[in-house]
Amino acid sequence: MPRYLVTADPVASFQPRFDTTLRLMAELLARGVEVDYCDLFTTDMSLGTDAWLAALPVRKVLWSDPARPPYVGTGEVRPAAALDYDVLVHRKDPPVDARYRAWAERFAALDGRLLQLNEPAEVLRHSEHLLPTRFPEYAIPTAHCREFAELRETVRMQPVEAVVKPIGECSGIGIAFFRPDAPEPALWDWWQQYGEAVVQPYQDAVTTRGDLRILTIGRRILGSVTRLPRPGSRLANLHQGASFHAFDPTPRQLEAVAAVTADLVPRGLYLLGLDFIGDLLSEVNFTSPSAMVQIGEVMHKRPEVELVDELEALRRGFVARA
């Protein structure tokens, strides 16, 4: 039987209403697959990379059930080497900060010697907010502002309103809306709190059609769901109180999905959450894409079954580099 290691945040932070990891682990266990869990916060970062990878503090996953607090049962901590496993599934949530990058850099040193979901070296190369610029024919125009002056000028150039996002955050954290004539002190206050920014022109469709998530594994679509802002808000994030509903992807969205997966899957970005506002791509999530729970509910299926089917196909077809 294959061996899987899930690296993630502390179990106490898992949120069963949103968490893909719990359902993934449950499906693997139901198939008799051996699953271990590593709380990244318990790893000893004083070790060199080789020593760190050779002695990860892991626990055997005994059970996983999003309806049964504390949701995961584990065995005792023991050391294990990353290369003892067939698949590493990385489920660390953003922010993509210095600590996140330090963990990813360690796993990136494995350099194709085993299947990693998603490949850490590629995760480090890209930004979820900026990756749509790789596909400009399908995407919302997106600017990357590394300096405050760039942010100010980009906001001033927007035709109606700017959506400003912190580059390393997720779940709607730090998103702000600025009109072109926004007072400079308001922009500066935002910059002082968040720094490096991504700016896009505001899309009215977010309040009518919502923020559309299409979740993929490899070239396969696991499902889709739209998230509508709660009354009085324009943030279509589930963590910000948005509601979720079924929707059928349009031909243009499916064309974009095919183009994105054709480019990114061969690079090792296997599990993706593609976000659209209207027919335009706004983000490509690859750190720990979610919405599988909501997709299952609105589509009346268990997408974790298809996820594990595809994972196992990837594992069987994976050719390790020596």
Side-chain angles (χ1 to χ4, degrees):
M1 269 303 201
R3 300 185 67 199
Y4 279 66
L5 176 64
V6 176
T7 74
D9 295 284
V11 166
S13 70
F14 286 11
Q15 300 181 57
R17 283 294 298 138
F18 304 106
D19 204 289
T20 296
T21 309
L22 294 169
R23 288 157 180 83
L24 169 63
M25 294 193 299
E27 179 61 23
L28 288 168
L29 292 172
R31 300 187 188 202
V33 175
E34 183 176 337
V35 184
D36 287 341
Y37 155 76
C38 175
D39 176 349
L40 289 168
F41 287 85
T42 67
T43 61
D44 183 357
M45 297 302 289
S46 70
L47 298 174
T49 297
D50 289 345
W52 189 85
L53 290 168
L56 294 169
V58 307
R59 295 175 179 265
K60 182 179 180 63
V61 179
L62 305 175
W63 55 267
S64 176
D65 185 348
R68 176 185 167 193
Y71 310 121
V72 181
T74 59
E76 295 298 318
V77 177
R78 70 181 197 282
L83 289 172
D84 290 344
Y85 297 92
D86 300 287
V87 183
L88 302 186
V89 180
H90 301 298
R91 294 295 303 173
K92 173 71 185 75
D93 286 334
V96 181
D97 53 14
R99 184 158 52 179
Y100 184 108
R101 290 181 172 278
W103 289 319
E105 286 166 0
R106 299 287 177 98
F107 287 117
L110 293 168
D111 193 27
R113 286 183 279 173
L114 79 167
L115 177 63
Q116 299 191 71
L117 188 86
N118 284 316
E119 179 60 50
E122 287 298 317
V123 169
L124 288 168
R125 284 190 188 105
H126 303 288
S127 158
E128 294 179 321
H129 298 304
L130 293 172
L131 200 48
T133 62
R134 193 178 181 92
F135 312 96
E137 65 272 38
Y138 299 108
I140 297 172
T142 301
H144 181 197
C145 302
R146 299 178 180 85
E147 303 290 341
F148 174 70
E150 291 178 306
L151 172 66
R152 181 183 59 216
E153 294 311 308
T154 304
V155 169
R156 300 281 183 253
M157 290 188 301
Q158 297 308 310
V160 178
E161 192 171 21
V163 181
V164 181
K165 308 175 185 179
I167 196 165
E169 288 287 1
C170 68
S171 303
I173 296 170
I175 292 178
F177 304 89
F178 293 107
R179 297 188 65 80
D181 59 354
E184 185 161 325
L187 294 172
W188 178 248
D189 287 346
W190 188 96
W191 182 264
Q192 287 289 89
Q193 184 170 359
Y194 295 107
E196 197 172 349
V198 172
V199 180
Q200 296 174 328
Y202 177 71
Q203 308 292 308
D204 286 326
V206 74
T207 58
T208 56
R209 296 174 63 186
D211 187 343
L212 316 173
R213 164 64 57 89
I214 300 177
L215 190 65
T216 64
I217 175 67
R219 307 292 178 87
R220 181 173 183 171
I221 293 177
L222 292 173
S224 54
V225 66
T226 184
R227 291 127 342 153
L228 281 167
R230 58 182 167 77
S233 173
R234 291 187 289 175
L235 296 177
N237 307 86
L238 295 174
H239 289 79
Q240 303 295 332
S243 58
F244 60 93
H245 311 270
F247 90 97
D248 293 322
T250 67
R252 182 63 174 171
Q253 290 164 354
L254 293 175
E255 185 181 324
V257 169
V260 171
T261 56
D263 181 64
L264 299 184
V265 169
R267 301 172 181 274
L269 295 177
Y270 304 107
L271 181 61
L272 301 173
L274 290 85
D275 290 346
F276 294 84
I277 300 177
D279 274 350
L280 294 176
L281 188 65
S282 63
E283 293 184 7
V284 180
N285 295 270
F286 51 75
T287 52
S288 58
S290 60
M292 193 176 75
V293 177
Q294 289 71 33
I295 286 169
E297 292 187 19
V298 300
M299 298 187 72
H300 309 292
K301 67 175 190 175
R302 296 179 60 236
E304 62 266 31
V305 175
E306 298 171 52
L307 173 58
V308 173
D309 285 345
E310 291 298 316
L311 262 178
E312 281 293 278
L314 286 168
R315 179 187 64 80
R316 289 189 294 269
F318 183 79
V319 179
R321 292 198 293 271

